[in-house]
Amino acid sequence: MRDGFVTEGTHTNIFMLQNGTLYTHPADRSILAGVTRGVLIKICDSLGIPVSQTPFTPEQMRAADEILVSSSLMGIRSVSELDGSPVGGNAPETVRAVREAYRKRFTEETDA
């Protein structure tokens, strides 16, 4: 959190999916841009999912259709609970498409 907006996790970037658009904090001095974050943005572009690099609040995140976190070590994961309350789960097809595209790209780029 910075100035009331969600920025990033300790070792992750944070996204929320709302009404078909993926939101993430702008890559400015508030966050580390993240390699996987960049790949996820490119994947969304290729799938026709709009991406908005716009700060969002915890309240907006709690109401999101989906919450995702990404890192180079774990890839892309869905968040199902926030502060002990269930969140997300309202756009599983979009999450599935994004994760499958990420796995495909990872496999293609790392398969020797």
Side-chain angles (χ1 to χ4, degrees), residues 7 13-14 23 28 33 88 97:
T7 53
N13 289 109
I14 301 172
Y23 293 86
D28 58 17

Side-chain angles (χ1 to χ4, degrees), residues 26-40:
D28 58 17
R29 291 182 289 156
S30 300
I31 71 167
L32 292 174
V35 172
T36 305
R37 177 184 180 275
V39 171
L40 177 54

